[in-house]
Amino acid sequence: MSKIIVVTSGKGGVGKTTSTAALGAALAQQGHKVAVVDFDVGLRNLDLVMGAERRVVYDLINVAQGDAKLHQALIRDKRLPNLFLLPASQTRDKDALTEEGVERVINELRSRFDWVICDSPAGIERGATLAMRFADVAVVVANPEISSVRDSDRIIGLLDAKTVHAENGERIEKHLLLTRYDAGRVARGEMLSVEDVLEILSIPLLGIIPDNEEVLRASNVGSPIVLHNAACAPARAYNDAAQRLCGVDLPMSIHSDQKSLFRKFFGRRAA
Amino acid sequence: MNQAIYRHIRFRGHSFNALSLEPEAPLAAWIDRLDAFIAHNAAFFARKPIVVDVSYLELDRTGVLELVKNLSGRGIRILGLAGADPAWSCEDLPAILPRARTAAESNQPNVDRAGEIDAPANRLTANEQLAFQEIANALENDGQPSGASNSEPVCRSPNIAPLVVNAPVRSGQTIYYPEGDVTVVGSIASGADVVAGGSIHVYGTLRGRAFAGANGEAQARIFCRRLEAELLAVGEVYLTADQIETNVRGRFVQAWLEHESIRIAPLD
């Protein structure tokens, strides 16, 4: 069983790349063979967050256009031997990707990996629609604020219209990953609550990633958060989310480093 | 009074005559016949509004998309699609038109004149110039003020089923159903539009824009479980979010037209 995940959001800067790296590393730690694929052609970042920027030779475009073999372009992670990165090209633009090329690369990845996680560019244009095109599962990343939630809603509409699964009359599995969640600000009414976001988007919740400075620190040193500091709240939240992707039924909790203060459990599993 | 006029922009349901192109299966052979036709009548489709009726084809959305690209590549300007599933509606397809009535089927006052355009339209290959003349005549004689067509709004027809949408309407999506009522079992997101010839019923939160009575039907109403709308319109009158009273926000309400202004009252 091999699954293609697209991590998408519509809006930029909500945490797609961080989440791709974290979910990829968490799934790999659980023993799965994982490839993370950067679809943000021209503005690649996943290589930095994965700490592989000094080892990029070939990229997604080279493979899609047949200039390089997939195994030449895949970069094996130094920490986890079953985690691989397929980087994007920084010098090309998104028009260099064709649907046929992407389909070929995805099919080849599908035959070699348990999980293929595609990091979508922001926006709703070609790059984003190609990243979602062949996905089986969508992880929709949103921050608890209205502009992000509305953009995510737009993306959900596109997932239901423009993916291969949708065009074949099937439903694409969609999950919400709520990032940059600050329980204190929600309590003060400065952020949307989990209930508000779920009510608007009406898709199942995959996880709540608390806002935490460790996330920025991890991406600055080029390490997925779950490898950088496995004990911190966001790392635990990403580990939970990765387990839920594998079908494990965990209670939804908002992880916190100050357990006594904010620990809250939600009785429900997802809408 | 002037104030009231300036606050509104005018919408009206109009009927126009357009040529309806009806591709038949097998499509490849039909395209060959079309090419032969275009070769003989190079300017025929130039600058004309054409509706493509796909009811005779069993195409899926991709197939229709392909056909649209094929026709556009031949310089055919597609005003809209008829006989297509309204659920396919999105940016890369022309507007999906409601089930069309041919001019002959129409029971509007201009039926006699309009009925004639069907005949020449079917043998256009014979004489292009004559056909153009006929259509031009028909268009001129169709000069009934729009009120005439409004007096028999399509949504009055007893045979037209309401549109029921069983999923949330997402931001950026448009539900367009000028024939009648639209019922949405779910919410309408901020940035989504629902346009109905009749009333709009929302069993969820209305956060987007709702246009009821889009053909000018003043009896249409909007019902929603929770009102957070960006815009409400009934007939030709609309209210923006700023103009909606705070005491009805977030509530189960109905909105209707009374003395050329929209009234909103709670139902809970």
Side-chain angles (χ1 to χ4, degrees), chain A residues 92-168:
Chain A
R92 308 291 292 274
D93 62 40
K94 285 158 183 94
D95 295 333
L97 281 177
T98 62
E99 183 169 331
E100 296 71 33
V102 171
E103 183 172 20
R104 210 155 25 76
V105 177
I106 294 283
N107 283 339
E108 200 174 344
L109 287 165
R110 199 191 277 278
S111 67
R112 291 201 196 181
F113 291 93
D114 301 323
W115 295 92
V116 178
I117 310 183
C118 305
D119 182 21
S120 169
I124 53 173
E125 289 79 24
R126 189 180 175 77
T129 49
L130 276 178
M132 70 171 66
R133 182 87 187 130
F134 302 100
D136 307 310
V137 180
V139 172
V140 178
V141 182
N143 293 162
E145 47 106 10
I146 49 167
S147 55
S148 169
V149 171
R150 181 161 77 179
D151 290 0
S152 294
D153 196 65
R154 179 88 164 95
I155 280 290
I156 295 169
L158 293 180
L159 286 165
D160 285 335
K162 297 210 165 176
T163 53
V164 170
H165 277 301
E167 284 179 6
N168 292 339

Side-chain angles (χ1 to χ4, degrees), chain B residues 19-23 30 34 44-45 50-54 71 76:
Chain B
L19 281 180
S20 166
L21 199 53
E22 300 176 348
W30 183 84
L34 176 74
F44 181 76
F45 290 110
I50 305 289
V51 171
V52 178
D53 188 339
V54 295
L71 294 177
I76 297 174

Side-chain angles (χ1 to χ4, degrees), chain B residues 43-117:
Chain B
F44 181 76
F45 290 110
R47 296 184 291 283
K48 282 191 187 59
I50 305 289
V51 171
V52 178
D53 188 339
V54 295
S55 359
Y56 300 102
L57 300 170
E58 284 178 359
L59 288 181
D60 58 0
R61 196 178 166 287
T62 324
V64 172
L65 199 61
E66 199 62 29
L67 174 66
V68 165
K69 276 189 197 149
N70 245 326
L71 294 177
S72 303
R74 288 170 169 79
I76 297 174
R77 284 208 210 179
I78 304 175
L79 173 72
L81 286 174
D85 184 344
W88 297 345
S89 156
C90 81
E91 293 90 346
D92 49 8
L93 280 181
I96 293 174
L97 303 175
R99 201 196 75 84
R101 294 173 298 174
T102 64
E105 279 168 22
S106 161
N107 56 357
Q108 294 185 359
N110 54 2
V111 60
D112 294 340
R113 283 300 312 173
E116 287 175 20
I117 76 161

